[in-house]
């Protein structure tokens, strides 16, 4: 009986909700990273392993949006990371 009470406790609910949100954030970041790499691939721009790792490692959704915009106009993959 004590074990089932724990799972209904408000703290347990909060931890689960935070975990779900963190998972959603991670999923959005992964999807944006894949989109950026796909745009570069569609445009015929070679992507080094270093660029691929940096894009895939990012969890900052705003930064990923900036890189996606840059991917549309870039002539080299490294241009994703250069300030304009």
């Amino acid at each position: 009986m004590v074990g089932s009470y724990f799972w209904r406790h408000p703290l347990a609910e909060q931890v689960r909700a935070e975990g779900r949100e963190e998972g959603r954030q991670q999923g959005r970041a992964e999807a944006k990273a894949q989109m950026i790499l796909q745009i570069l691939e569609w445009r015929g721009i070679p992507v080094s392993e270093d660029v691929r790792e940096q894009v895939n490692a990012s969890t900052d959704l705003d930064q990923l949006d900036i890189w996606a915009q840059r991917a549309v106009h870039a002539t080299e993959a490294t241009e994703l990371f250069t300030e304009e």
Side-chain angles (χ1 to χ4, degrees), residues 3 19 21 33 35 41 46 51 58 65 74-75 80:
E21 181 56 31
M35 177 188 63
E41 184 179 311
V51 169
S58 180
D65 282 339
T75 57
L80 296 178

Side-chain angles (χ1 to χ4, degrees), residues 50-66:
D50 288 340
V51 169
R52 186 175 305 280
E53 286 177 11
Q54 188 169 348
V55 170
N56 283 326
S58 180
T59 58
D60 182 339
L61 297 176
D62 293 332
Q63 183 63 64
L64 289 164
D65 282 339
I66 291 168

Side-chain angles (χ1 to χ4, degrees), residues 1-9 16:
M1 195 65 141
V2 172
S4 65
Y5 170 77
F6 172 77
W7 296 112
R8 290 180 282 158
H9 190 275
R16 280 195 297 277

